[in-house]
Amino acid sequence: MNDAPIQTRLRVATWNLWWRFGPWQERTSAIVATLKDIDADIIALQEVWDDGTTNFAAQLAQELGYHYAFAPGARPNGIHMGNAILSRWPISQHDITPLYDDPKAPEMRVALYAEIDGPRGKIPAFCSHLNWRQQDSHIRQEQVAEVTQFIDNKRPWNYPPILCGDFNADPQAKEIRMLTGQTTVPVKNLVFHDAWSFMHPAEPGFTWDNANPHVIDGFEPDRRIDYIFTGWARGQGAGHIVDCQLQGTAPINGIWPSDHYAVVADLRY
């Protein structure tokens, strides 16, 4: 029996694309260039638009030569804002679940699941985007409970689940600690590593950064609110995090691609 650690890698990225805000048409080429440079096997995206004629996830998948699944959420100005998962390999199935909402101020958040038919076994990938207001921690906690139940319902899996997204919460927030086992977990025996803190425990890793001109007008502090979470590693280190970096942290031809930075992690696979 071979107990040596797995040496092959899986690259995962997550990125909030800022819907059609700002100079969105000019940003498209910068987004594509950044994703090509990242060269991830699985890409989780938030604030992906669909205007009924063009689906940006489909457009990006075509540009990259990837497969995709899309989950529509809110519909500002009649144009869907949703989540997407792009994959280098076929998506054998996908599913969507709505998340807890405030009926007085609905945001129509959803979670997306995609089963990736990878070359060394199927990969359970999840993407979500939680409520954005600072005061909505209680809503995000409900949403985290629903997301983890959604993940648990997709058992069994041979590879640890990967959960990506914009969680609109700092690492010390209860909704994040619910995922990492620093407080009571919503689903027994389902706990995750935070890829950035796993690799860079002493570094802030801000993904919402006032160095980005798209952020300055929000008058908010620098924060780390975008995450790649991975289930605990299995035999021979399957799912073990070996690297985590930020991307999309500079303009391309003078254009900043998004108001968020992307998070990219390499896992044993």
Side-chain angles (χ1 to χ4, degrees):
M1 181 177 179
N2 183 9
D3 294 325
I6 295 168
Q7 296 303 312
T8 47
R9 301 289 186 259
L10 167 70
R11 175 160 289 184
V12 179
T14 187
W15 201 8
N16 181 319
L17 298 184
W18 201 31
W19 192 63
R20 288 169 44 142
F21 296 113
W24 65 273
Q25 292 168 313
E26 292 83 355
R27 291 194 297 107
T28 297
S29 59
I31 289 169
V32 171
T34 303
L35 290 175
K36 287 182 177 179
D37 185 59
I38 291 172
D39 194 30
D41 301 302
I42 299 172
I43 305 167
L45 301 172
Q46 304 85 49
E47 293 198 23
V48 183
W49 58 268
D50 182 344
D51 64 6
T53 300
T54 301
N55 181 297
F56 195 37
Q59 180 180 334
L60 290 173
Q62 184 174 21
E63 290 267 7
L64 299 171
Y66 281 27
H67 307 267
Y68 82 97
F70 175 72
R75 198 172 182 179
N77 301 321
I79 299 172
H80 278 297
M81 176 192 292
N83 304 326
I85 295 176
L86 277 59
S87 169
R88 187 186 305 279
W89 306 303
I91 296 174
S92 51
Q93 60 175 308
H94 74 278
D95 195 9
I96 303 166
T97 190
L99 300 180
Y100 177 80
D101 216 343
D102 179 353
K104 296 180 180 179
E107 294 190 15
M108 300 176 66
R109 303 295 181 173
V110 299
L112 171 65
Y113 162 66
E115 182 184 72
I116 310 298
D117 192 8
R120 295 179 294 280
K122 295 185 184 298
I123 305 161
F126 299 83
C127 174
S128 195
H129 185 188
L130 306 188
N131 272 41
W132 72 272
R133 293 179 179 84
Q134 186 78 15
Q135 65 268 29
D136 282 354
S137 177
H138 63 295
I139 295 177
R140 289 189 291 272
Q141 290 172 44
E142 294 280 358
Q143 292 170 337
V144 162
E146 292 179 337
V147 168
T148 51
Q149 187 60 64
F150 183 54
I151 294 171
D152 195 59
N153 290 344
K154 300 305 177 184
R155 291 181 187 269
W157 53 70
N158 293 320
Y159 193 81
I162 302 167
L163 171 61
C164 301
D166 174 0
F167 287 77
N168 279 308
D170 301 287
Q172 68 272 19
K174 184 173 182 180
E175 51 267 39
I176 302 302
R177 293 186 290 114
M178 289 166 65
L179 289 164
T180 57
Q182 305 306 305
T183 188
T184 304
V185 297
V187 176
K188 185 178 179 180
N189 297 326
L190 183 58
V191 67
F192 295 85
H193 290 302
D194 167 4
W196 181 266
S197 66
F198 191 96
M199 297 303 304
H200 308 282
E203 297 179 31
F206 297 136
T207 59
W208 178 263
D209 186 348
N210 280 274
N212 183 330
H214 295 319
V215 169
I216 294 173
D217 290 343
F219 305 106
E220 297 180 19
D222 297 341
R223 303 174 67 198
R224 181 161 74 88
I225 57 178
D226 301 85
Y227 299 85
I228 295 174
F229 295 107
T230 64
W232 285 45
R234 296 198 165 196
Q236 298 179 262
H240 173 243
I241 304 155
V242 295
D243 192 30
C244 189
Q245 302 295 331
L246 300 181
Q247 295 286 350
T249 59
I252 297 177
N253 297 322
I255 301 295
W256 287 77
S258 177
D259 61 340
H260 287 243
Y261 296 155
V263 183
V264 182
D266 291 336
L267 316 176
R268 295 186 190 273
Y269 168 63

